[in-house]
Amino acid sequence: QVQLVESGGGSVQAGGSLRLSCAVSGMTYSSSTHNCMGWFRQAPGKNRERVAALYTGNDWTNVADSVKGRFTLSQDNAKSTVYLQMNSLKPEDTATYFCAVTIGGYCSTREADFDYWGQGTQVTVSS
C-alpha cells in the first residue's frame, strides 16, 4: 500500500523558512517511473490548492504563481522523498500542507486526480 508521510511543518514568523518533506513508501520511486508528486495546501474555509508538483521521472517542476520565487520543489530518489522548500513565508501561506501522488498520471492541478495522500502537516506564519 502506498503511504505518504509529511513532516517539517511548524510555526514561523513572516519572512522565515521551512522545509517540508514527504516520505513515500509502497511504490517504486525512481527516475524510471513517471508519477506525479504534488504539494497541496488548504487554509480554513478555503479549497485545497496545488502549490507545487513534479514528475519522478524527469526534471519538470511547477509551482503556483502565488508562491513562485519563494517555494522550490526537489526530490531525492534514493530516499523516496520529495521536499518543498518554503522561503519568505507570509501569513497567507498559513495552511495545512498535503503531499499527494498520481500513479502514472500527469500532474493535474485537481486534487481529485491524485491517488494517494498524506495526513498533512500544519504551517503557521505569524506577522
Side-chain angles (χ1 to χ4, degrees):
Q1 177 155 349
V2 177
Q3 290 189 318
L4 293 82
V5 179
E6 302 99 334
S7 60
S11 297
V12 296
Q13 290 192 327
S17 298
L18 285 172
R19 189 177 79 155
L20 305 184
S21 299
C22 174
V24 183
S25 62
M27 72 177 208
T28 301
Y29 198 112
S30 75
S31 59
S32 64
T33 61
H34 189 74
N35 303 318
C36 176
M37 302 297 304
W39 281 100
F40 288 75
R41 68 184 181 186
Q42 187 167 21
K46 294 189 175 182
N47 293 330
R48 193 170 295 190
E49 64 167 339
R50 197 192 79 181
V51 294
L54 59 74
Y55 285 110
T56 57
N58 57 44
D59 295 330
W60 182 89
T61 63
N62 178 268
V63 295
D65 288 342
S66 58
V67 303
K68 195 164 290 183
R70 300 188 297 120
F71 290 12
T72 57
L73 196 59
S74 63
Q75 61 184 333
D76 184 332
N77 290 351
K79 295 183 178 180
S80 299
T81 300
V82 61
Y83 303 98
L84 183 66
Q85 178 66 43
M86 307 187 296
N87 298 327
S88 302
L89 283 161
K90 303 176 181 180
E92 51 263 43
D93 294 320
T94 295
T96 301
Y97 284 71
F98 299 88
C99 177
V101 62
T102 298
I103 305 295
Y106 90 105
C107 280
S108 168
T109 58
R110 302 192 318 146
E111 62 175 298
D113 292 330
F114 284 76
D115 301 310
Y116 299 94
W117 291 81
Q119 81 288 352
T121 185
Q122 179 66 36
V123 171
T124 303
V125 184
S126 58
S127 58

